[in-house]
Amino acid sequence: MSISYYPLSRLVARHQPALGQAVDDVVRSGQYLRGEREAAFEQAWSQAVGVAHTVGCANGLDALTLVLMGWKQREGWADGDEVIVPAMTFAATGLSVLRAGLRPVWCDVGADALIDVADAKRRVTPRTRAAIAVHLYGRVCDIDALRAWQKETGIKLLEDAAQAHLARYQGRPAGGLLDAAAFSFYPGKNLGALGDAGCVCTHDKDLATRVRALANYGATEKYLHTFVGLNSRMDEIQAAVLTARLPYVEDENARRRSLAAQYRAKIHHPGVSLSPVASPDTDEVCHIFPVLVSQPADFQHYMTTCGIETARHYPRALHQQTAFAHIDAPHLPVSERIAREEVSLPIHPLLSDEEVVYIAECINRYEAP
Ligand SMILES: *Cc1c(COP(=O)(O)O)cnc(C)c1O
């Protein structure tokens, strides 16, 4: 058997010829940026996520950054004001805070790898302005706890939903659960473009207007530059591709959930721990299926000898990264343990039941050193 972690070309190929047609239509249209296809995708995504506004942009890092920039200018936050960020996430979450001229304050995650709200509360200072709830692995953070915290403090709450396309909390999709959300449509996400793309979702009309201006050189009208903005656009080819793939995401997520359930039922090994099961309040979308092992390099090597490719998300927490060395690094035991021990098993809509059985059997035969 040879099982790749994420067979991107096969995953894209099954949407042919629709994707080829979509790209061809754009090539012929003569309209490559800020056209009708971006507007159509924004509308379709707003409807799917249940928000009033979607603003397309170039990638997920920009989407996070644009929201923070928009709040900073509207609310009058100062340079160096603080945003609480869980340390176990992809680097972009922390980088966006720095790019907006703000300061990340790291907090720990729970055993489910999602923001530990009790720990986040302990990190509040007079300069705390916001927190980022990362729906890591396609799970949804504890929205009720976050909302309760927000009521006490009045801080803004941003969802990093880059791994949580159409995940749900009490039936409502991620991306419309807090004050604003950032999505990435990087090719490897549950809804992926054929290049970079991202968007901001919000119910807040004023924020959406600011984000749209900030992503367009800060222009509120053509050649009227009100803000110091960026150039961050979703191009028409990506918008057309995303619109073509959107109708399949729910079914693909359901397939991922079924694969995750099979892994849970079939993996029984004292040295391989599975994450806690998601709360019944949520429908996770299993972007990543993590396991924890004491020696990940040895485990990954063993899996390779079985013909199974694995990955790691993420081998360092953000407070352990050189890029953030100038930010205070508290001891964050759960994030650090996940960074040390996490290995991601293949999970994608084309993985077969037979392959999952084989992967689980290989794991159950693993002899830890
Ligand atoms: C992918 C990802 C991002 C960044 O998205 P890009 O489009 O690659 O910039 C941000 N946060 C998380 C949690 C991600 O997984």
Side-chain angles (χ1 to χ4, degrees), residues 59-61 64 89-90 92-93 134 160 162-163 184 186 189 197 314:
N59 55 63
L61 171 58
L64 291 161
T89 179
F90 180 59
T93 319
V134 182
D160 181 340
Q163 302 189 1
S184 163
Y186 175 81
K189 309 293 190 193
Y314 295 95

Side-chain angles (χ1 to χ4, degrees), residues 44-364:
W45 192 245
S46 287
Q47 191 158 24
V49 174
V51 289
H53 309 281
T54 294
V55 181
C57 66
N59 55 63
L61 171 58
D62 282 2
L64 291 161
T65 307
L66 287 161
V67 170
L68 294 170
M69 288 171 72
W71 282 337
K72 189 184 180 201
Q73 60 169 226
R74 182 177 76 192
E75 313 290 327
W77 298 350
D79 280 340
D81 278 355
E82 295 168 1
V83 179
I84 296 176
V85 178
M88 178 41 62
T89 179
F90 180 59
T93 319
L95 293 173
S96 68
V97 176
L98 291 177
R99 273 178 81 206
L102 300 165
R103 193 175 175 81
V105 171
W106 312 122
C107 74
D108 212 350
V109 294
D112 56 4
L114 302 177
I115 187 166
D116 175 344
V117 179
D119 187 66
K121 282 183 186 174
R122 290 195 282 273
R123 317 243 170 224
V124 172
T125 77
R127 296 195 70 177
T128 306
R129 301 288 174 254
I132 305 182
V134 182
H135 301 315
L136 201 71
Y137 304 151
R139 300 169 181 171
V140 187
C141 300
D142 184 344
I143 299 298
D144 285 348
L146 287 162
R147 281 290 191 202
W149 177 34
Q150 180 172 44
K151 267 204 186 123
E152 294 162 22
T153 56
I155 61 168
K156 296 276 180 215
L157 293 173
L158 169 56
E159 293 173 72
D160 181 340
Q163 302 189 1
H165 304 99
L166 307 185
R168 285 182 162 74
Y169 184 83
Q170 297 172 354
R172 292 169 52 214
L177 299 169
L178 297 171
D179 300 317
F183 284 94
S184 163
F185 303 109
Y186 175 81
K189 309 293 190 193
N190 288 27
L191 174 57
L194 299 180
D196 275 314
C199 75
V200 169
C201 286
T202 184
H203 303 290
D204 178 340
K205 183 167 187 220
D206 173 77
L207 179 69
T209 306
R210 280 171 197 272
V211 164
R212 202 175 281 287
L214 283 166
N216 185 33
Y217 312 100
T220 41
E221 283 173 39
K222 195 163 190 182
Y223 302 134
L224 186 69
H225 297 274
T226 311
F227 310 120
V228 179
L230 315 176
N231 167 12
S232 184
R233 300 185 273 234
M234 176 187 288
D235 68 67
E236 289 286 287
I237 288 184
Q238 304 315 332
V241 164
L242 293 170
T243 301
R245 294 187 75 171
L246 177 54
Y248 302 95
V249 177
E250 296 274 20
D251 281 352
E252 293 177 356
N253 285 343
R255 176 67 188 155
R256 286 170 180 268
R257 276 193 285 271
S258 143
L259 294 164
Q262 293 180 58
Y263 272 139
R264 287 187 179 282
K266 296 190 170 98
I267 297 173
H268 301 286
H269 189 299
V272 179
S273 8
L274 307 182
S275 276
V277 182
S279 119
D281 266 351
T282 73
D283 293 315
E284 55 178 343
V285 293
C286 308
H287 175 62
I288 286 165
F289 191 89
V291 298
L292 299 184
V293 293
S294 63
Q295 309 242 22
D298 181 77
F299 179 75
Q300 286 196 285
H301 174 75
Y302 165 77
M303 294 296 277
T304 308
T305 65
C306 299
I308 301 160
E309 189 186 7
T310 55
R312 298 203 62 203
H313 300 89
Y314 295 95
R316 284 176 190 224
L318 299 196
H319 66 298
Q320 302 172 312
Q321 296 281 6
T322 309
F324 299 112
H326 60 298
I327 307 294
D328 293 336
H331 177 45
L332 301 170
V334 184
S335 299
E336 288 160 25
R337 177 174 178 216
I338 294 171
R340 230 173 19 245
E341 301 190 346
E342 194 275 346
V343 176
S344 308
L345 304 183
I347 189 160
H348 59 78
L350 288 177
L351 196 68
S352 69
D353 293 352
E354 294 71 28
E355 287 172 317
V356 169
V357 169
Y358 173 74
I359 294 168
E361 281 171 1
C362 290
I363 292 172
N364 293 341

